[in-house]
């Protein structure tokens, strides 16, 4: 332990001897470092910074009632607005309006000044945490730094006003463009819808009664016509029975006999049988016309079976022939009625055939009509959707004009700062002092290492094994003292002059070096 104390004491003693021998070197290096450094720190220009906070006010009307026309995220819109405001045109207007960077205009190009202003403007988003990773922006801070505190505040307020104005303008323009786009699409869709409505109307006119939705009504009409046809058949049967009854059993049949004679009934029975056979080729027994003809044939067969047989002709038939028309006279009034019933029967048959044709054509018309209706319904749905969105866009546009949607509002205008934001002279002075002391110590150690002279007996003994016989101290005369003082005075004057020159040069160089302030202060470039 005594050896350790001895070694530490010896090291301290050697350090003190080095400090005593090299103090002038240390002082020169210390002042050579600290004086220009302090001059630079004192000469650096003051940089002021002003800021203001812009609040993002959400839409006043709930979005469940009115959807906003601008649906993009606030951060994206802020980025777009920032790009617009940071454009070369806007920034040059600010430079000219507030006369910014007057010292740099002579040496910098307009593009350089614009880039300088971009670096001096800052944007900081402020938000609250959501349930997911991203945050909701509720406000943002705008800042500007410069050498004039009044201009710094004015520039910040002007930039904040630009953000508010640009936000209103961008939202209103987007709402107007949205409404115009929807209006053009709505007009185009309306013309297409009217064209399809016209095509459907013309199709209905070309095919009346053949549309699929008219099948039920056609069936009802056929059923009604079949009922009328049945009544017509019954009327014809009654007329024929009445005619036969009025004609009497003694009336001879002749080619000119009244309608309703047994020969006529047999001919009609044959005709109806042929019609029934023709219908059975196409329809079943349940078809209305088939059932009607079956009933008519059964009635005629019954009438034929009940009619008396025809009496044989005698020799006096020639004389009675002239009186035969008198017996057939009562049947004459029935002829017009039977003809009318026949004409009505033909009309009913034609009507039923026409409605059956319509029903048969319904499947084909249904396919064609479905194709037209499908296009029409699709177009109508698109038109209704566009109409709804267009009405919403009009409401959103009116809200944008009335400023009832999301807006930017400046909370507090920026005021001129009282204290500069940079440089921090105390911090820089402390760093300069530490650097100067370190440089002085390093210089003394380096000079000591390069000095090969012996300063004491121990140094000689450490260098050689020869014994030291005697130690002769240095003999100093008055002349030596005088010239030593002269040299010291000259050195001090030269050092003072050099330090003054270095301080002046440092002041001249640093007085307009704003970038040096940002570098030393760690400010954002």
């Amino acid at each position: 332990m005594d050896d350790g104390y001895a070694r530490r004491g010896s090291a301290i003693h050697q350090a003190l001897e080095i400090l005593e021998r090299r103090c002038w070197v240390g002082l020169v290096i210390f002042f050579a470092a600290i004086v220009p450094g302090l001059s630079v720190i004192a000469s650096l220009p003051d940089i002021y910074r002003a800021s203001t906070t812009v609040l993002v006010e959400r839409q006043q009307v709930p979005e469940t009632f009115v959807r906003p026309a601008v649906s993009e995220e606030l951060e994206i819109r802020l980025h777009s607005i920032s790009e617009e405001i940071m454009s070369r045109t806007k920034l040059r207007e600010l430079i000219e309006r507030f006369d910014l960077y007057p010292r740099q205009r002579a040496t910098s190009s307009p593009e350089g000044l614009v880039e300088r202003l971009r670096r001096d403007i800052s944007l900081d988003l402020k938000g609250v945490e959501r349930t997911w990773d991203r945050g909701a922006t509720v406000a943002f801070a705008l800042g500007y730094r410069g050498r004039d505190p009044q201009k710094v505040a004015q520039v910040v307020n002007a930039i904040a006003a630009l953000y508010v104005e640009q936000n209103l303008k961008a939202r209103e323009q987007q709402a107007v463009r949205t409404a115009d786009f929807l209006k053009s699409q709505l007009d185009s869709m309306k013309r297409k819808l009217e064209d399809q409505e016209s095509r459907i109307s013309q199709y209905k006119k070309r095919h009346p009664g053949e549309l699929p939705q008219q099948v039920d009504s056609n069936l009802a009409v056929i059923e009604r016509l079949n009922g009328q046809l049945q009544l017509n058949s019954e009327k014809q049967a009654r007329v024929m029975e009445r005619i036969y009854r009025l004609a009497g059993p003694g009336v001879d049949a002749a080619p000119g006999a009244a309608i309703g004679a047994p020969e006529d009934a047999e001919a009609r029975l044959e005709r109806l049988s042929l019609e029934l056979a023709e219908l059975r080729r196409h329809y079943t027994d349940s078809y209305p016309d088939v059932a009607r003809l079956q009933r008519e044939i059964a009635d005629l067969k019954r009438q034929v079976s009940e009619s008396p047989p025809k009496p044989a002709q005698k020799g006096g038939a020639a004389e009675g022939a002239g009186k035969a028309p008198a017996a057939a006279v009562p049947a004459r009034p029935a002829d017009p009625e039977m003809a009318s019933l026949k004409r009505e029967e033909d009309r009913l048959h034609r009507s039923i055939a026409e409605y059956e044709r319509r029903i048969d054509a319904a499947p084909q018309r249904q396919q064609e009509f479905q194709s037209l209706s499908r296009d029409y319904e699709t177009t109508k749905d698109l038109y209704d959707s566009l109409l709804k969105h267009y009405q919403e866009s009009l409401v959103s546009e009116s809200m944008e004009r009335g400023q009832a949607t999301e807006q930017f509002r400046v909370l507090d205008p920026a005021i001129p700062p009282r204290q500069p934001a940079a440089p921090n002279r105390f911090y820089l002075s402390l760093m300069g002092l530490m650097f100067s002391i370190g440089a002085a110590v390093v210089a003394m150690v380096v000079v000591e290492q390069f000095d090969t002279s012996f300063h004491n007996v121990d140094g000689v003994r450490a260098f050689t094994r020869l014994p030291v016989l005697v130690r002769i101290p240095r003999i100093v005369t008055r002349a030596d003292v005088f010239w030593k003082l002269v040299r010291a005075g000259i050195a001090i004057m030269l050092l003072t002059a050099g330090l003054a020159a270095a301080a002046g040069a440092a002041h001249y160089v640093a007085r307009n070096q704003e970038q040096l302030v940002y570098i030393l202060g760690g400010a954002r470039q």
Side-chain angles (χ1 to χ4, degrees), residues 322-437:
K323 297 181 180 180
V329 172
R332 293 295 181 181
D335 292 345
E337 184 177 0
M338 180 60 72
S340 176
L341 291 175
K342 288 292 184 180
R343 288 194 298 270
E344 183 181 1
E345 181 183 8
D346 293 338
R347 181 183 63 79
L348 291 175
H349 279 295
R350 288 194 301 271
S351 298
I352 292 174
E354 174 63 22
Y355 280 100
E356 289 175 348
R357 185 191 63 81
R358 293 179 180 181
I359 293 175
D360 293 339
Q364 180 181 357
R365 301 292 180 257
Q366 183 177 8
Q367 294 180 357
E368 298 172 352
F369 189 77
Q370 281 181 349
S371 178
L372 293 174
S373 300
R374 184 167 50 250
D375 296 340
Y376 173 77
E377 292 297 331
T378 303
T379 305
K380 189 175 184 301
D381 291 341
L382 290 175
Y383 177 80
D384 293 338
S385 177
L386 286 173
L387 181 61
K388 179 182 177 182
H389 289 306
Y390 175 65
Q391 292 173 349
E392 291 177 351
S393 68
L394 292 179
V395 176
S396 300
E397 182 181 354
S398 64
M399 289 180 59
E400 294 292 345
R401 296 183 186 277
Q403 300 183 10
T405 55
E406 185 180 85
Q407 304 295 330
F408 294 167
R409 180 171 63 87
V410 179
L411 286 180
D412 294 311
I415 58 175
R418 296 182 179 180
Q419 299 294 332
N424 189 344
R425 289 185 169 83
F426 176 77
Y427 172 78
L428 294 177
S429 299
L430 183 61
M431 294 296 102
L433 179 62
M434 295 176 63
F435 173 79
S436 300
I437 293 175

Side-chain angles (χ1 to χ4, degrees), residues 154-169:
Q154 293 173 1
V155 170
V156 169
N157 291 330
I159 295 174
L162 284 176
Y163 269 87
V164 174
E165 178 185 356
Q166 192 63 30
N167 178 63
L168 291 174
K169 183 179 178 181

Side-chain angles (χ1 to χ4, degrees), residues 207-319:
H207 306 284
E210 300 178 6
L211 300 179
Q213 59 267 29
Q214 296 174 329
V215 171
D216 294 338
S217 61
N218 289 337
L219 290 174
V221 172
I222 289 177
E223 185 177 357
R224 179 174 57 82
L225 292 175
N226 284 326
Q228 295 177 4
L229 189 59
Q230 179 66 28
L231 293 175
N232 181 276
S233 299
E234 294 176 357
K235 288 181 181 180
Q236 289 187 29
R238 287 195 297 269
V239 170
M240 292 172 63
E241 184 179 357
R242 186 172 62 251
I243 292 173
Y244 177 74
R245 189 168 54 251
L246 292 175
V251 178
D252 294 334
I259 299 175
E263 291 78 9
D264 292 339
E266 292 177 358
R268 189 165 184 271
L269 180 60
E270 184 179 357
R271 179 174 62 82
L272 291 178
S273 298
L274 293 176
E275 291 182 3
L276 179 61
E278 181 66 23
L279 286 175
R280 281 179 172 174
R281 293 174 58 188
H282 302 284
Y283 306 103
T284 62
D285 290 344
S286 60
Y287 193 70
D289 288 349
V290 175
R292 177 181 56 80
L293 289 176
Q294 287 176 347
R295 288 194 297 271
E296 290 183 7
I297 291 172
D299 292 339
L300 287 176
K301 286 181 178 180
R302 187 178 65 254
Q303 293 175 9
V304 171
S305 63
E306 292 177 355
S307 62
K310 176 180 177 184
Q313 293 183 358
K314 297 182 180 180
E319 291 81 2

